[in-house]
């Protein structure tokens, strides 16, 4: 007789050993806290937040092995043994022989941009990331978005919305000449597109193109294991490969890569740059001493490098990555039940609510995503972040707002931190705000910092 039970559920491959109590607050309290924070979720006090979906960056729960590793930090100024363990694991899992640690991802972006870019050059990329593009621009480059059009359409179900459009890339190269391209900057999955991956097929095509035109190809491998997981689940020929194999194949097409270790590696701080190019390595090793610290610690403590090295071994575990992406998927499936619009397909690290659609009665100049993030916090203490006109900033040439097509609120899932019950509470809060959406009015900006204004900008209710 055929069995009636179908086993299709997964559960986390770990259990809870230590807990961190969180404060429960009232709506009245949160109303006040939001106002004091200038309706900017970055300016809230973390202790006033109930479920923190601001970011998955540095907010992950380390394993008992990682915590144990913290106790064997070798805090020597030079040549710490944790550095060599980390370097070995970078070689083993990312496959690039040269390595420079940094305190976090943007420090690697800073050095790379300075080394690679001659002012006046161009950097094409598969959609921008805030810090990545800013460092490219500060080094004198113009960033050009060459991601496929599907990525700008929140409802297009393309399985690899992180792909580069070869025609757009070719057009740029024809216009400005290959010599004026500093490098191609490819991220996977693409954070701002909704955590969407690129395919190995697309990467190979980009690699062939870059090789033919003698253009360098660099990888923002910050969440690369998520990209590898999507390739395994979605791309023909990869079902039987391990996440580690796929990660290594992906990295093999690049001249070098940089990583914010605060994501995939499940640590609270850290980053690095790795490359096959000895000259670039030597330039970075020289520069790291100026900006970060000696090349064997790069602004990190020995214990941080130990936790990173262990994190690399844990991040490629299939059950671990399935549970991580599975939680995001669960959240998305629940939202669908309430018909709440968000970016499809469900991405790797976050759900991106479509604030443009949810608050369709508002103008983009009244900051719909900023408003929606504030309203969700006020409703329940769930903290997300704006990824729309505020994050896009101003055009450096015209000084005008950039008007991105996507006006989103990102709800991001720290790794190994929240339970399914937390997720259910967050879903109900979003649904409740969604129900009352027509009553919501916008915001006006009352303070605007020069760089990365989304971090410190302040707003008032209209
Ligand atoms: N690249 C990507 C794709 C990122 O998502 C981030 C950070 C960085 C680079 C910069 O790394 O923060 O260590 O300096 N993203 C965080 C986020 C801030 O919330 O998405 P960092």
């Amino acid at each position: 007789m055929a069995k009636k039970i179908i086993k299709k559920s997964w559960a986390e491959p770990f259990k809870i050993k230590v807990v961190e109590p969180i404060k429960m607050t009232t709506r009245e309290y949160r109303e006040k806290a939001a106002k004091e924070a200038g309706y900017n979720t970055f300016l809230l006090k973390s202790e006033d937040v109930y479920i923190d979906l601001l970011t998955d960056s540095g907010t992950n729960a380390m394993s008992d092995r990682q915590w144990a590793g913290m106790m064997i930090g070798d805090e020597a100024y030079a040549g710490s043994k944790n550095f060599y363990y980390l370097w070995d694991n970078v070689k083993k899992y990312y496959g690039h022989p040269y390595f420079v640690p940094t305190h976090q991802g943007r420090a690697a972006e800073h050095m790379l941009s300075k080394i690679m870019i001659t002012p006046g050059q161009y950097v094409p990329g598969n959609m921008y990331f805030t810090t990545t593009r800013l460092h490219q621009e500060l080094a004198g480059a113009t960033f050009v978005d060459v991601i496929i059009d599907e990525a700008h359409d929140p409802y297009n179900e393309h399985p690899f919305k992180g792909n580069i459009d070869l025609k757009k890339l070719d057009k740029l190269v024809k216009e400005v000449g290959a010599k004026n391209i500093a490098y191609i900057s490819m991220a996977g999955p693409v954070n701002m597109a909704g955590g969407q991956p690129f395919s190995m097929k697309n990467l190979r095509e980009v690699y062939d193109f870059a090789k033919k035109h003698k253009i360098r190809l660099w990888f923002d491998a910050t969440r690369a294991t998520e990209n590898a997981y999507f390739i395994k689940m979605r791309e023909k020929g990869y079902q039987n490969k391990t996440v580690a194999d796929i990660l290594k194949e992906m990295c093999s097409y690049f001249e070098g890569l940089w990583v914010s270790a605060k994501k995939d590696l499940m640590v609270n701080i850290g980053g690095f740059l790795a490359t096959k190019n000895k000259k670039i390595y030597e330039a970075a090793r020289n520069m790291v001493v100026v900006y970060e610290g000696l090349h064997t610690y790069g602004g990190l403590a020995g214990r941080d490098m130990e936790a990173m090295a262990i994190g690399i071994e844990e991040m490629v575990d299939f059950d671990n990555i399935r549970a991580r992406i599975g939680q995001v998927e669960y959240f998305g499936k629940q939202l669908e039940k309430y018909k709440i619009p968000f970016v499809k397909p469900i991405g790797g690290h976050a759900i991106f609510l479509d604030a443009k659609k949810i608050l369709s009665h508002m103008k983009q100049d009244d900051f719909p995503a900023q408003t929606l993030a504030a309203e969700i916090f006020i409703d329940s203490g769930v903290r997300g972040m704006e990824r729309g006109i505020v994050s896009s900033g101003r055009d450096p040439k015209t000084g005008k707002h950039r008007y991105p097509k996507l006006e989103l609120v990102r709800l991001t899932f720290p790794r190994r931190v929240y339970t399914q019950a937390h997720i259910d509470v967050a879903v109900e809060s979003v649904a409740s705000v969604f129900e009352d959406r027509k009553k919501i009015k916008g915001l006006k900006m009352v303070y605007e910092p020069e760089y990365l204004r989304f971090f410190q900008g302040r707003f008032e209710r209209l």
Side-chain angles (χ1 to χ4, degrees):
M1 217 169 65
K3 290 191 74 159
K4 283 199 198 106
I5 300 288
I6 302 161
K7 289 188 190 161
K8 58 177 176 21
S9 294
W10 51 265
E12 287 80 0
F14 52 81
K15 56 185 175 177
I16 296 166
K17 175 139 62 182
V18 178
V19 295
E20 178 184 339
I22 38 184
K23 190 160 92 182
M24 313 292 280
T25 56
T26 60
R27 186 179 174 101
E28 206 183 0
Y29 182 94
R30 293 188 296 270
E31 193 64 77
K32 201 164 154 264
K35 193 171 176 199
E36 275 168 16
Y39 298 95
N40 183 346
T41 52
F42 281 102
L43 298 178
L44 287 166
K45 288 186 182 143
S46 138
E47 62 170 356
D48 293 338
V49 174
Y50 176 38
I51 300 173
D52 202 351
L53 305 183
L54 184 72
T55 178
D56 61 336
S57 183
T59 52
N60 311 291
M62 292 206 292
S63 67
D64 52 358
R65 246 191 97 208
Q66 284 176 303
W67 277 111
M70 299 288 276
M71 287 305 294
I72 52 170
D74 169 5
E75 307 304 344
Y77 188 86
S80 147
K81 73 175 182 212
N82 317 111
F83 164 79
Y84 288 103
Y85 174 26
L86 176 57
W87 192 356
D88 283 346
N89 271 356
V90 168
K91 279 188 255 187
K92 188 169 163 194
Y93 290 90
Y94 293 87
H96 286 231
Y98 303 116
F99 157 76
V100 178
T102 58
H103 82 280
Q104 61 183 81
R106 72 197 69 180
E109 291 171 345
H110 171 215
M111 293 195 300
L112 183 72
S113 305
K114 280 205 151 159
I115 294 165
M116 304 280 285
I117 295 166
T118 308
Q121 284 188 315
Y122 294 80
V123 179
N126 53 346
M127 206 176 262
Y128 79 104
F129 183 70
T130 53
T131 59
T132 317
R133 182 177 67 188
L134 180 59
H135 278 297
Q136 292 158 353
E137 289 175 349
L138 288 173
T142 301
F143 173 83
V144 183
D145 183 8
V146 292
I147 203 163
I148 57 172
D149 285 338
E150 286 87 338
H152 291 282
D153 170 3
Y155 303 102
N156 191 302
E157 296 264 5
H158 193 296
F160 292 106
K161 281 166 104 171
N163 282 355
I164 281 181
D165 185 331
L166 271 291
K167 281 198 222 82
K168 288 186 191 171
L169 191 58
D170 190 50
K171 186 166 166 273
L172 177 71
V173 173
K174 286 207 173 99
E175 268 167 31
V176 305
K179 281 208 173 63
N180 286 318
I181 308 273
Y183 59 99
I184 299 166
S185 178
M186 197 162 173
V190 180
N191 191 344
M192 303 298 270
Q196 307 293 335
F198 59 70
S199 69
M200 198 73 90
K201 180 168 172 284
N202 182 254
L203 172 56
R204 261 187 243 113
E205 287 163 2
V206 174
Y207 170 79
D208 290 340
F209 179 92
K211 199 169 164 195
K212 187 173 130 204
H213 294 275
K214 296 199 174 61
I215 300 171
R216 297 175 156 172
L217 185 56
W218 277 73
F219 186 23
D220 181 346
T222 292
R223 297 183 184 82
T225 55
E226 292 168 14
N227 204 93
Y229 176 83
F230 283 124
I231 287 176
K232 182 176 167 73
M233 304 313 279
R234 296 179 185 171
E235 192 164 352
K236 224 176 118 213
Y238 286 92
Q239 276 67 40
N240 297 323
K241 295 226 159 87
T242 64
V243 172
D245 288 341
I246 299 170
L247 173 67
K248 206 152 178 189
E249 183 185 337
M250 276 162 40
C251 294
S252 73
Y253 297 112
F254 294 90
E255 180 181 58
L257 54 92
W258 74 95
V259 169
S260 165
K262 300 169 77 172
K263 283 81 166 177
D264 266 2
L265 282 68
M266 296 172 285
V267 290
N268 303 120
I269 196 75
F272 63 87
L273 187 150
T275 177
K276 301 174 197 162
N277 185 319
K278 195 162 181 212
K279 272 207 177 128
I280 293 173
Y281 162 64
E282 274 168 3
R285 207 177 51 167
N286 266 311
M287 205 178 273
V288 78
V289 193
V290 181
Y291 293 109
E292 295 282 286
L294 197 70
H295 64 281
T296 61
Y297 74 85
L300 294 164
R303 54 179 174 268
D304 298 324
M305 293 188 283
E306 186 73 15
M308 281 167 69
I310 297 167
I312 290 179
E313 291 165 16
E314 293 178 359
M315 75 182 184
V316 293
D317 175 63
F318 178 76
D319 293 315
N320 188 68
I321 187 87
R322 180 176 62 180
R324 188 271 185 291
I325 293 179
Q327 191 168 53
V328 182
E329 199 181 339
Y330 175 80
F331 189 92
K333 292 257 160 75
Q334 301 308 306
L335 289 182
E336 278 171 358
K337 291 186 184 160
Y338 295 96
K339 303 206 164 28
I340 297 167
F342 64 90
V343 174
K344 302 287 176 61
I346 297 168
H349 65 306
I351 290 292
F352 290 70
L353 302 173
D354 186 349
K356 220 181 219 176
K357 200 159 196 177
I358 295 172
L359 300 178
S360 57
H361 57 287
M362 275 174 59
K363 291 183 296 198
Q364 197 167 13
D365 287 289
D366 297 339
F367 309 110
Q370 189 75 27
T371 305
L372 185 60
E375 293 299 330
I376 292 169
F377 169 74
I378 292 166
D379 181 72
S380 62
V382 169
R383 167 159 77 168
M385 75 159 79
E386 195 262 10
R387 292 276 91 148
I389 183 167
V390 184
S391 296
S392 273
R394 291 180 187 271
D395 187 300
K397 292 201 183 94
T398 66
K400 295 230 162 72
H401 286 311
R402 290 192 254 226
Y403 288 88
K405 282 194 197 134
L406 303 180
E407 183 69 29
L408 309 170
V409 169
R410 192 183 77 170
L411 299 167
T412 323
F413 296 80
R415 297 161 191 79
R416 310 193 286 204
V417 172
Y418 290 117
T419 66
Q420 196 155 308
H422 287 114
I423 304 299
D424 289 335
V425 168
V427 167
E428 286 170 18
S429 172
V430 175
S432 154
V433 172
F434 181 65
E435 197 176 12
D436 290 337
R437 62 193 178 277
K438 293 284 186 266
K439 293 184 203 146
I440 298 173
K441 295 193 183 75
L443 296 166
K444 62 171 188 231
M445 198 168 4
V446 294
Y447 168 68
E448 181 175 357
E450 188 180 352
Y451 297 123
L452 303 174
R453 63 184 185 178
F454 56 94
F455 283 135
Q456 289 155 359
R458 298 187 69 86
F459 300 80
E460 276 171 15
R461 275 194 164 136
L462 283 177

